[in-house]
Amino acid sequence: MSIAVVWLKRDLRLSDHAPLLEAAKTGLPILLVYCFEDMLLDDAHYSERHWRFVSQSLRDMANKLPAGALYVAKGDALAVFQALSLKYGISQVFSHQEIGLDNTFARDKAFATWCKSNQIIWHETPLGAVQRGLTHRTHWDENWQRVMRAPCLNLDLNKVNWFKNNEFECQLPHFETRFQNIQGQFQNGGESEAFNVLNDFFTARGKEYAFTLSSPSLSQIHCSRLSPYLAWGNISLRQVYQTVLSHWQVPGWRRSLVAFTSRLHWHCHFIQKFESECEMEFRHVNKGYDDLPRVTGELAEQRLHAWKTGQTGIPMVDACMRCLIETGYINFRMRAMLVSFLCHHLELDWRAGVAHLASLFLDFEPGIHYSQFQMQAGVTGINTIRIYSPVKQGEEKDEKGVFVRKWVPELCEVPAPLIHSPWQLSQMEQMMYGFTLGEDYPEPIVDVKQSYKDAQALLWLWRKKPKVVIESKRLLYRHVRPN
């Protein structure tokens, strides 16, 4: 017997799935395979919240498939495929191209070698509009439009020649049990849930999107909340984009749909950056910043610990970090502020915090994460220098202090706008509002006004350095669309 395998990675869905469609065309019995890989389970970028989401996604798929058509394993992916091939005879493997971390890239190279030595054909399909090996952006937008407007690649699941094996049925419940006990208020995974959230957004929530997306509280409701489903492939970007187009003429929605559409464009844009320059996982994308002075040693460790645990003494920073720890989600502006505070106010190397935030983001997508992180850290040399003042962000985006009070209850009695700078309160005022600075809530670990000035002076000075300027020209050619 010979079978075709669809290797599931970050594409945990059954609709608009090119590898599945192509595998079905072979007429061979099809087995879907997902592997909880040890190297990823042990990777600092991931935490159990991610694997819980994945196990829920697999359950949703299993419920729509014949028993035994989905095989879920744990271990080394190559070893899993070797065992399956010896037992059942794999003829062809179908998968999406993974734009992942260095470890998955190395694994894919080893897998390609294994396929070749075992006479197994491996078909890889592009991920969305991302182009592998691209060296410039000429015609990139045309390709994006072509891919997103093409018909979705669906098939009738009842007509697929599924490979069915009863021994595979007992695998998934083990992982569901293992990852169900984590604490937190996380979104549930799965293709069905992705479409529930999509429909809910377009029914009502999304109408106020453009007017609320910068608010840490209101964005929880009015943003699409589709990012984890896109990151883990419960829904394709094309499915989302075509849903936007179908609502384009709905009265009262245009401004929000325009704003939402621009974010969908950015999705592939940032992943493409990472695909074209994946070394950014380890080094500054602009090498001119390699010698940028950063705090090290014990002081760096103290600052990093305070940032990671939401104990910096800066309410807006702590509220965002605590919200992330509990829910796995915060809006874009607050993510940018967290990175900005780490790199500019605390003067820490961006690499000190990049894996930590990845492990908290339920929607961790390597390409977007690294491209955005370096941009907010101010080490690209081509983007506008943005240094966020957490006090100003609090006063503007959480004007009444609702968000801070929810996540920093130590300050719940402090009125706005004082809640965003509690270090300005006298001892008498602290007594009135029921807290003592340094006991109930930390003293600020930096003077945010001074750290803002210092960071601004350093970054503008550094940007003029010859090596930064030379590297900037290279990056503009490679990553920016020509006029």
Side-chain angles (χ1 to χ4, degrees):
M1 181 173 62
S2 184
I3 65 173
V5 169
V6 176
W7 185 7
L8 301 169
K9 297 180 179 179
R10 282 173 165 267
D11 51 355
L12 303 176
R13 65 180 183 276
L14 295 169
S15 60
D16 197 26
H17 197 289
L20 177 57
L21 184 70
E22 293 303 314
K25 290 178 182 176
T26 66
L28 293 168
I30 294 175
L31 176 64
L32 303 184
V33 173
Y34 183 84
C35 183
F36 286 95
E37 298 176 76
D38 290 334
M39 69 172 187
L40 296 181
L41 292 173
D42 296 336
D43 191 302
H45 294 84
Y46 297 97
S47 59
E48 291 208 344
R49 64 186 61 188
H50 297 120
W51 307 123
R52 174 180 178 269
F53 192 89
V54 169
S55 69
Q56 291 170 334
S57 302
L58 293 170
R59 166 52 61 194
D60 186 54
M61 295 174 72
N63 289 341
K64 300 171 184 174
L65 294 168
L70 171 64
Y71 177 50
V72 179
K74 176 185 175 297
D76 174 71
L78 212 57
V80 168
F81 273 87
Q82 175 74 11
L84 282 173
S85 189
L86 288 174
K87 195 168 185 179
Y88 302 111
I90 298 175
S91 171
Q92 301 182 50
V93 176
F94 296 81
S95 76
H96 280 104
Q97 292 171 343
E98 183 170 3
I99 316 299
L101 300 172
D102 182 67
N103 52 9
T104 58
F105 185 46
R107 174 254 281 149
D108 281 355
K109 288 192 287 188
F111 187 77
T113 302
W114 176 81
C115 285
K116 190 174 181 180
S117 62
N118 287 275
Q119 291 80 52
I120 295 172
I121 303 171
W122 183 18
H123 307 268
E124 285 191 283
T125 304
L127 178 73
V130 181
Q131 300 175 57
R132 178 149 287 180
L134 194 68
T135 57
H136 56 79
R137 289 299 186 97
T138 305
H139 306 306
W140 192 86
D141 287 294
E142 294 93 320
N143 179 69
W144 192 93
Q145 287 291 343
R146 184 166 54 249
V147 171
M148 293 305 149
R149 290 175 181 270
C152 289
L153 302 174
N154 298 323
L155 79 171
D156 186 344
L157 298 177
N158 294 318
K159 294 181 179 178
V160 175
N161 180 20
W162 296 107
F163 178 77
K164 302 170 190 173
N165 191 315
N166 291 335
E167 70 179 277
F168 294 162
E169 292 184 55
C170 61
Q171 305 296 326
L172 184 54
H174 165 71
F175 296 105
E176 291 174 307
T177 302
R178 175 174 171 176
F179 300 125
Q180 283 306 310
N181 295 323
I182 62 171
Q183 300 298 313
Q185 307 166 35
F186 306 111
Q187 289 178 258
N188 292 322
E191 184 178 23
S192 299
E193 190 63 18
F195 278 93
N196 288 339
V197 173
L198 178 76
N199 294 332
D200 186 48
F201 178 72
F202 282 101
T203 298
R205 288 191 300 112
K207 191 172 183 179
E208 299 300 315
Y209 174 84
F211 314 100
T212 59
L213 60 89
S214 293
S215 162
S217 297
L218 297 176
S219 61
Q220 305 267 342
I221 300 168
H222 298 291
C223 278
S224 75
R225 307 300 304 268
L226 287 168
S227 55
Y229 305 107
L230 288 167
W232 293 102
N234 291 160
I235 193 168
S236 72
L237 195 71
R238 172 161 49 204
Q239 290 171 317
V240 177
Y241 183 63
Q242 295 190 3
T243 306
V244 172
L245 295 181
S246 70
H247 287 75
W248 200 251
Q249 302 301 332
V250 178
W253 278 72
R254 182 60 61 87
R255 188 166 172 183
S256 285
L257 293 184
V258 169
F260 184 56
T261 303
S262 71
R263 271 72 181 177
L264 297 182
H265 279 87
W266 292 355
H267 180 276
C268 291
H269 165 73
F270 285 111
I271 298 177
Q272 183 70 64
K273 275 190 175 183
F274 190 65
E275 207 291 325
S276 299
E277 198 145 349
C278 59
E279 299 87 357
M280 73 169 69
E281 180 183 344
F282 304 106
R283 63 162 176 79
H284 298 90
V285 67
N286 186 318
K287 295 176 183 176
Y289 288 90
D290 286 351
D291 298 323
L292 186 71
R294 299 285 82 182
V295 168
T296 59
E298 187 177 346
L299 179 59
E301 290 298 320
Q302 290 172 354
R303 289 182 173 184
L304 184 62
H305 179 72
W307 178 78
K308 283 183 174 179
T309 55
Q311 295 291 335
T312 67
I314 314 297
M316 203 60 184
V317 173
D318 294 340
C320 289
M321 188 61 81
R322 296 181 192 185
C323 176
L324 263 179
I325 292 170
E326 181 66 18
T327 70
Y329 176 82
I330 193 77
N331 64 337
F332 173 79
R333 181 177 284 261
M334 296 303 126
R335 294 180 192 217
M337 186 196 68
L338 283 175
V339 178
S340 176
F341 187 77
L342 175 81
C343 301
H344 305 318
H345 292 277
L346 300 185
E347 303 173 89
L348 297 180
D349 191 300
W350 59 269
R351 287 166 286 201
V354 71
H356 178 70
L357 279 193
S359 73
L360 296 181
F361 290 163
L362 187 61
D363 54 15
F364 167 54
E365 160 59 64
I368 296 174
H369 189 67
Y370 273 92
S371 300
Q372 275 289 337
F373 218 101
Q374 292 216 28
M375 191 170 85
Q376 302 303 336
V379 294
T380 67
I382 61 175
N383 300 108
T384 303
I385 294 176
R386 289 192 179 90
I387 304 170
Y388 289 84
S389 163
V391 175
K392 185 179 178 185
Q393 289 299 310
E395 291 171 348
E396 290 182 355
K397 307 305 177 189
D398 186 33
E399 189 178 359
K400 297 181 180 177
V402 174
F403 183 73
V404 167
R405 283 194 192 87
K406 178 174 183 179
W407 296 106
V408 188
E410 304 97 298
L411 304 176
C412 63
E413 299 299 326
V414 181
L418 297 173
I419 196 170
H420 296 297
S421 51
W423 53 87
Q424 294 184 337
L425 298 177
S426 67
Q427 289 188 338
M428 180 62 74
E429 288 172 318
Q430 291 176 36
M431 193 182 301
M432 286 171 54
Y433 299 130
F435 83 101
T436 302
L437 201 63
E439 292 182 13
D440 302 307
Y441 186 65
E443 299 268 5
I445 60 172
V446 291
D447 179 333
V448 290
K449 284 188 176 178
Q450 187 61 47
S451 57
Y452 183 95
K453 291 178 182 176
D454 293 345
Q456 192 174 44
L458 176 66
L459 288 178
W460 280 112
L461 172 70
W462 215 266
R463 193 162 183 145
K464 298 173 185 173
K465 287 182 173 287
K467 192 174 180 180
V468 170
V469 174
I470 293 171
E471 277 284 285
S472 296
K473 291 178 181 176
R474 179 186 69 79
L475 292 170
L476 285 170
Y477 174 76
R478 189 162 198 175
H479 298 301
V480 176
R481 306 168 180 91
N483 292 325

